[in-house]
Amino acid sequence: MAVVDLVSGFLGAGKTTFIKPYVAWLKACGKRPVVVENEFGFLNIDSAVLRSVGVDVAELSGGCLCCGLKAAFRDLLLQLARSDAHIVVEPSGIFNPRDFFAVMAEPEVAARCHIGTVITVVDPYAMDRLDPQSAVLFRDQVRAAGAVLLSRTGEMPDEDCVAAAMRVEALLNRPGETLIETTPWDLLTEADFARLSRSGSYQAEEEGGFIDHAALYQSLVIRSDKPLDKVEVCEAMDAARRTAGEVIRLKGYIPRRDGGFWEVNGTPDRSEAREVDGNARAFLVAIGRHLHRETLESFFMKELIKRSN
């Protein structure tokens, strides 16, 4: 019977960053992990990131597992179960876990798959900046978890890590039943990964009913063909977030001035750029509300800049 792990977390929490070492640990344990990568938009940047480090990926893009892609998700689980894979599901950041449990409980799926663990990745800095609807999704994701993994703890003072863990525990309202992991990810040991993999899940009563993600959020794909240096990349991302609508997430690849690409990751409070080589696609994905395509493109497209001069 196939094991299915769920790694959820709101937009930009760090799910993909955690999945890379988690999958490496699963491989070291002799398992054959396959990541089901779900992207709300039609271009799946996270799949490219995972494949670049040798992770087997199955994609479901252009919607959420919990609404428009539920049937496709069920069929994919059944297909992967026949191959004896250890399935790791990374849903969109605006995912509602209720429907994951519903699909896993369907008789045909339950006969071939069972839930291993549900891990929710939480960015402690993001908890105070969620709008009311996003906050409902966030709380439902946390309450479904057998383990909550705090990201960015390597940059936080110890007392702030403790405070963040206490806030998560208060959200759970079930002290002692959920593992709250505050260890910086680069310090996680084999024993830590083993504990996370055994943490199980929790089907809590959810706040939210049906959520039409397409009505609440937008996803835009824009070409990013203007070569930039690292400072310019971060300045462009910061400017895009200030002027192009309510940008919750920016991710993708931007050409470097010296060749290669920047792998970029932007959330409302930070912009990151990492050098990568190879033949990446020069595109960005923006997720948010009331997004202004032309404003976004003006920061990252050479042709648009030329036309405006």
Side-chain angles (χ1 to χ4, degrees):
M1 182 174 286
V3 176
V4 181
D5 295 336
L6 176 71
V7 180
S8 68
F10 197 71
L11 294 164
K15 300 184 295 296
T16 306
T17 304
F18 166 71
I19 283 174
K20 287 188 284 186
Y22 183 59
V23 164
W25 175 78
L26 288 171
K27 286 183 176 179
C29 293
K31 303 182 187 300
R32 196 178 72 78
V34 175
V35 176
V36 174
E37 185 63 49
N38 173 222
E39 177 58 72
F40 179 60
F42 286 94
L43 183 64
N44 201 319
I45 297 295
D46 294 333
S47 291
V49 172
L50 290 171
R51 288 192 177 110
S52 72
V53 293
V55 177
D56 289 336
V57 178
E59 288 188 25
L60 288 172
S61 300
C64 289
L65 299 182
C66 53
C67 42
L69 296 177
K70 194 190 307 186
F73 176 49
R74 180 192 60 234
D75 293 345
L76 181 56
L77 286 179
L78 293 173
Q79 174 188 334
L80 292 174
R82 289 194 291 270
S83 66
D84 196 33
H86 186 115
I87 303 166
V88 180
V89 179
E90 181 183 1
S92 161
I94 49 178
F95 167 78
N96 191 315
R98 172 192 58 243
D99 293 297
F100 169 77
F101 291 118
V103 169
M104 292 298 298
E106 291 185 17
E108 190 175 6
V109 176
R112 301 184 186 182
C113 305
H114 72 91
I115 299 172
T117 186
V118 173
I119 300 169
T120 298
V121 182
V122 171
D123 178 352
Y125 294 99
M127 289 192 277
D128 292 323
R129 57 170 166 76
L130 298 173
D131 63 86
Q133 187 62 72
S134 298
V136 169
L137 286 171
F138 167 75
R139 289 192 292 268
D140 284 344
Q141 290 175 8
V142 168
R143 289 168 179 159
V148 175
L149 186 65
L150 298 183
S151 63
R152 303 176 66 183
T153 54
E155 4 177 317
M156 298 173 68
D158 290 346
E159 58 269 25
D160 289 351
C161 289
V162 172
M166 290 176 64
R167 291 186 63 187
V168 169
E169 189 171 8
L171 282 178
L172 293 165
N173 197 28
R174 51 178 194 274
E177 294 186 28
T178 296
L179 171 65
I180 301 176
E181 181 60 71
T182 62
T183 303
W185 295 356
D186 58 344
L187 300 179
L188 289 173
T189 66
E190 292 184 7
D192 293 325
F193 284 118
R195 285 189 299 115
L196 289 166
S197 73
R198 295 193 300 265
S199 58
S201 61
Y202 194 90
Q203 295 191 48
E205 183 176 347
E206 297 185 350
E207 285 184 58
F210 173 74
I211 296 173
D212 185 350
H213 295 126
L216 285 171
Y217 302 95
Q218 294 170 270
S219 177
L220 296 179
V221 177
I222 62 172
R223 199 167 77 245
S224 56
D225 60 357
K226 184 167 61 170
L228 301 171
D229 62 32
K230 188 168 186 176
V231 171
E232 291 169 333
V233 167
C234 292
E235 288 178 348
M237 294 173 72
D238 292 342
R241 287 201 303 270
R242 290 194 305 270
T243 62
E246 186 183 342
V247 181
I248 301 174
R249 187 79 196 281
L250 272 173
K251 56 185 176 180
Y253 295 93
I254 296 172
R256 300 199 319 259
R257 286 189 180 276
D258 59 351
F261 289 86
W262 299 108
E263 180 185 290
V264 300
N265 181 18
T267 61
D269 70 334
R270 71 187 191 276
S271 297
E272 299 173 342
R274 184 177 71 91
E275 288 188 18
V276 293
D277 296 317
N279 298 315
R281 299 176 65 190
F283 286 94
L284 286 178
V285 174
I287 301 174
R289 302 184 184 191
H290 316 297
L291 300 179
H292 308 152
R293 176 181 288 278
E294 287 192 2
T295 304
L296 279 168
E297 289 175 339
S298 69
F299 296 107
F300 302 106
M301 283 182 60
K302 284 191 298 189
E303 290 185 6
L304 195 67
I305 296 298
K306 289 177 182 176
R307 290 200 302 270
S308 65
N309 290 338

